[in-house]
Amino acid sequence: QVGESVADPLKYYRNNVAGAVSLVSAMREAGVDRFLFSSTAAVYGEPEETPITEESPLHPVNAYGNTKLAIETMLDDCRRAWGLRSLSLRYFNAAGATAAHGEDHRPETHLIPLVLDAAAGRRGELVVYGDDYPTPDGTCVRDYIHVRDLASAHVLALEKLAGGLSGAVNLGNGRGFSVLDVIRAAERVTGLAVPHRIGDRREGDPAVLVASSARAEKLLGWRRRLPAIEEIIGDAYAWRRRYPDGYPD
């Protein structure tokens, strides 16, 4: 959680950076020389241009992004020092669900499960943080990628990593959806109204965050199979109906 990382940075440095140092040290001792890393679009911070490519400047604006970038840097240093091969997969907004697995964060901070919970009456009205951004409908635009497409990218990345590929690739939808786009799509998918109101902007929210995944497509041979926001929301909704209370404690 980005906000938590700002409030408690040492927790994130201890878990992410110190944990990665321990893991890579154990890998070296065991003779393991390949590392597939779950990184994040947060390494880019507030982008200077859209879509975001892997050549875009890396300027994280919070401790979460800083720790992920620190690990990417460490992995590259280890490559030069002793030949560690690594691929850093920079996720954009992972969303959707499989039949067995869905989103159940506590507290929940991701837009799609919040929208679905609001539609189902499991929480109060959704707050849309600002409607005066320079976007088509005034609300922030984000890049949502189905978790099943993320999973397929991991399989391909493991194969390419074994073949010697290293570096970093973006994994995103390649197109953006505004907050209101998500709300309207959820209403179409569920047949339910999503109660919401417009609130003030949140500090640090960029207007648009959309990935270019051209490098992943070229280097990994990856193709998105489920890019439509209705498919992403539909799978998330099906999981939520199957597990209305989320995972058991």
Side-chain angles (χ1 to χ4, degrees):
Q1 296 181 35
V2 168
E4 182 186 54
S5 81
V6 174
D8 190 2
L10 289 180
K11 177 179 181 180
Y12 281 70
Y13 278 90
R14 185 179 303 111
N15 184 80
N16 291 353
V17 180
V21 169
S22 296
L23 176 58
V24 173
S25 297
M27 288 170 56
R28 188 180 187 188
E29 291 175 7
V32 178
D33 65 353
R34 284 173 281 176
F35 191 106
L36 188 61
F37 178 50
S38 295
S39 191
T40 173
V43 298
Y44 295 110
E46 297 194 27
E48 297 175 1
E49 59 183 9
T50 297
I52 300 168
T53 71
E54 291 81 1
E55 286 69 43
S56 297
L58 302 175
H59 295 305
V61 295
N62 52 63
Y64 171 68
N66 280 327
T67 62
K68 292 286 192 173
L69 182 56
I71 297 168
E72 286 195 22
T73 303
M74 178 192 71
L75 294 173
D76 194 49
D77 286 339
C78 291
R79 175 188 61 81
R80 286 191 291 267
W82 50 274
L84 176 68
R85 286 177 287 170
S86 67
L87 267 173
S88 296
L89 307 182
R90 294 172 179 165
Y91 304 173
F92 280 66
N93 289 39
T98 66
H101 302 290
E103 291 193 76
D104 182 23
H105 307 113
R106 304 182 190 187
E108 185 59 72
T109 59
H110 289 187
L111 178 61
I112 289 175
L114 289 174
V115 166
L116 293 175
D117 280 352
R122 301 181 67 86
R123 64 173 63 246
E125 63 182 358
L126 184 78
V127 178
V128 178
Y129 295 109
D131 64 349
D132 58 350
Y133 287 91
T135 62
D137 63 22
T139 64
C140 289
V141 171
R142 295 293 182 265
D143 184 317
Y144 296 91
I145 177 171
H146 200 296
V147 290
R148 287 167 60 188
D149 283 332
L150 275 181
S152 69
H154 283 70
V155 174
L156 293 168
L158 283 170
E159 294 170 352
K160 296 297 183 180
L161 188 56
L165 183 64
S166 62
V169 295
N170 291 338
L171 295 177
N173 195 309
R175 59 178 294 197
F177 303 96
S178 74
V179 177
L180 292 182
D181 285 337
V182 172
I183 289 173
R184 292 168 185 143
E187 290 180 334
R188 292 193 297 271
V189 168
T190 66
L192 302 170
V194 178
H196 62 278
R197 64 179 175 85
I198 305 300
D200 295 332
R201 287 190 182 193
R202 289 186 302 193
E203 185 177 355
D205 264 351
V208 179
L209 289 175
V210 177
S212 167
S213 296
R215 189 175 185 205
E217 293 169 5
K218 179 180 179 180
L219 296 182
L220 304 182
W222 178 61
R223 295 292 182 272
R224 290 170 295 274
R225 304 297 182 189
L226 299 162
I229 192 64
E230 289 83 2
E231 291 177 301
I232 294 171
I233 293 172
D235 284 349
Y237 183 53
W239 184 86
R240 201 65 176 168
R241 294 184 70 185
R242 193 175 296 115
Y243 301 99
D245 298 318
Y247 293 109
D249 292 327

